[in-house]
Amino acid sequence: MPVPATTGPAPAPPPAPPPESVEPTDAELVLGACHGRADAWEAIVDRHLAMVNAIARSYRLPQQDREDAVQTVWLRLNQHLPRLHTPHRLASWLRRATHTACDRQRLHQRRFVATDPSDMDGYAHDQDDPELRYLRDERHAALHRAVDGLTDPVDRRVARLYLDDSPDAGPISHRTTPNQRRHLIRQLRRSLRVNTDPSERRA
């Protein structure tokens, strides 16, 4: 005699795989950063910092000049972010900006020639290129405005250590840790955005 088939609840279907997280595009991050989202700016830095550093290292500049060039790149991006015409090509913009900043540092470096100190008596200072002097002064003023805008006194102290260019100051790598420098760069970008005149942003 045939055995009747047993009846019962149907087996549950296998669970659906979790949806894959989709990384935001550069254009989406730029839009978020323009609207004041700190996480979007940090994501831009995290995504492209290695590329910017690699290009700067390829120029074999002294450490101080290399760090100045990288700092200039992020300052320029912060200032030009709302005016980027092709935000989806952010990586290309950063590559060009890094090459430009490194070329300027290399040009500036070549202007210094070893000279006997006795030959420098009476020599007028600040004889470098007017454009380079203007850019240096503008960057110096912007950085110190950003430092003054930091709310955390610890951040201000680290920033002043980072920016100390006195003759007896040790190398930046001895004065601050890599994590401090990375955190400081992010804090300075935020402070710079807050302390920038709106009319300057639209210029």
Side-chain angles (χ1 to χ4, degrees), residues 6-176:
T6 59
T7 60
E20 296 183 0
S21 59
V22 179
E23 290 289 331
T25 65
D26 281 345
E28 291 169 338
L29 292 176
V30 168
L31 181 62
C34 288
H35 283 82
R37 282 179 43 208
D39 61 315
W41 173 259
E42 292 176 4
I44 290 173
V45 175
D46 288 339
R47 180 175 295 180
H48 298 289
L49 181 61
M51 178 192 69
V52 172
N53 285 340
I55 294 174
R57 283 195 300 269
S58 72
Y59 278 75
R60 301 187 181 279
L61 295 165
Q63 180 180 350
Q64 178 71 52
D65 290 342
R66 184 176 71 248
E67 291 178 346
D68 282 350
V70 171
Q71 186 173 277
T72 298
V73 171
W74 294 116
L75 279 172
R76 286 194 60 208
L77 177 61
N78 182 275
Q79 294 167 344
H80 289 79
L81 207 60
R83 302 193 298 274
L84 291 181
H85 297 298
T86 54
H88 61 284
R89 299 187 62 188
L90 177 61
S92 297
W93 189 98
L94 284 169
R95 278 193 291 269
R96 289 195 303 271
T98 306
H99 284 297
T100 298
C102 290
D103 283 336
R104 287 185 181 276
Q105 286 292 346
R106 177 179 285 175
L107 176 63
H108 186 64
Q109 182 188 19
R110 288 175 178 172
R111 297 182 66 87
F112 291 94
V113 181
T115 307
D116 189 321
S118 62
D119 296 334
M120 300 297 292
D121 293 339
Y123 185 79
H125 295 288
D126 294 326
Q127 294 296 315
D128 52 343
D129 184 273
E131 181 184 1
L132 290 176
R133 187 165 63 250
Y134 171 80
L135 291 173
R136 183 186 61 229
D137 293 344
E138 183 181 43
R139 183 178 64 194
H140 180 83
L143 281 174
H144 283 271
R145 283 197 303 270
V147 169
D148 292 339
L150 295 175
T151 57
D152 189 332
V154 175
D155 287 340
R156 287 198 298 272
R157 179 180 60 81
V158 174
R160 292 189 176 104
L161 282 174
Y162 184 82
L163 298 176
D164 184 5
D165 57 357
S166 58
D168 57 346
I172 287 178
S173 58
H174 294 176
R175 288 179 268 149
T176 55

Side-chain angles (χ1 to χ4, degrees), residues 188-201:
L188 286 176
R189 300 305 171 276
R190 296 175 190 172
S191 179
L192 185 65
R193 179 177 295 280
V194 169
N195 288 281
T196 300
D197 191 312
S199 63
E200 294 179 4
R201 296 180 189 174

